[in-house]
Amino acid sequence: MNLTKSIIRVALATGFLLLLLLVAKQFTTEMMWTLSDFLAAGILLFGSGLAYVLLAQMGSNTAYRAAAGVAVGVALFLVWANLAVGLIGSENNPANRLYGGVLAILFIGALVARFRPRGMANALFVTALAQMIVPAIALLVWKTQIISEAAAPGGVGHILGVNAFFAALWGGAALLFRRASTTSANPDRQLG
């Protein structure tokens, strides 16, 4: 499939999802999205779709494409959840900005790995570790604010659980990239 067709498909899928969100907004009073919310959603969805298309075409096997899909999906989910409700306290908690570092580690790691499967696996394992370091740093720097916001059901345990969930997803993508590196059609395959 050529790149232009893929981009058109991503644009159409993004438009369809935004249309579904617009229809849903008509039937619930809890969805108080503004035009800027729809624009942000459109940028996130289209950007994620485009990132997947570009990353998936670098792989020569199904495991690589699946790993790319999981990694892009987790990144989208992380950003979306952080913007919507925040992973640490509310979405306005400054500790949530630390997750930008998690995504930066992933991006820089992918560039250093030149998107090769073995390097991508390592970058995603480091990303999973960074995901778990964020709440620890947040508790050190913003302890009082986080403890007061975490007084709601779940508390600090909930924050750690959510981060462990994301770390597990990053780890799953890393394992898929590692699997992609062991196939015979891959230049990163270990010989011997």
Side-chain angles (χ1 to χ4, degrees):
M1 179 182 338
N2 74 32
L3 186 59
T4 304
K5 284 184 182 178
S6 295
I7 292 171
I8 290 170
R9 286 183 180 168
V10 168
L12 289 173
T14 299
F16 178 72
L17 289 171
L18 289 174
L19 183 61
L20 286 177
L21 290 169
L22 182 62
V23 169
K25 181 178 172 18
Q26 307 309 311
F27 294 101
T28 180
T29 58
E30 293 178 17
M31 188 175 170
M32 295 182 276
W33 281 28
T34 63
L35 178 61
S36 62
D37 293 322
F38 279 98
L39 286 173
I43 290 168
L44 283 173
L45 291 170
F46 182 76
S48 297
L50 185 60
Y52 171 74
V53 165
L54 295 174
L55 187 57
Q57 76 179 9
M58 293 180 186
S60 60
N61 58 49
T62 304
Y64 188 97
R65 289 186 288 279
V70 171
V72 170
V74 174
L76 171 64
F77 186 36
L78 178 67
V79 172
W80 197 293
N82 214 8
L83 289 173
V85 294
L87 298 182
I88 299 175
S90 72
E91 67 273 13
N92 298 322
N93 190 313
N96 286 309
R97 293 187 198 123
L98 295 173
Y99 293 108
V102 173
L103 296 175
I105 286 169
L106 174 61
F107 183 71
I108 292 167
L111 290 177
V112 168
R114 293 182 293 171
F115 301 98
R116 290 192 177 135
R118 174 80 54 188
M120 289 295 290
N122 293 336
L124 279 153
F125 283 131
V126 173
T127 302
L129 179 62
Q131 182 79 40
M132 289 310 298
I133 290 173
V134 165
I137 292 172
L139 282 168
L140 288 173
V141 176
W142 294 283
K143 182 178 181 179
T144 307
Q145 183 178 357
I146 290 170
I147 297 298
S148 68
E149 285 185 11
V156 174
H158 175 73
I159 292 170
L160 294 175
V162 167
N163 281 280
F165 173 72
F166 275 100
L169 293 174
W170 293 125
L175 291 173
L176 283 168
F177 274 116
R178 177 142 309 154
R179 172 80 174 122
S181 73
T182 62
T183 63
S184 60
N186 196 297
D188 274 356
R189 187 177 139 253
Q190 292 202 340
L191 301 173

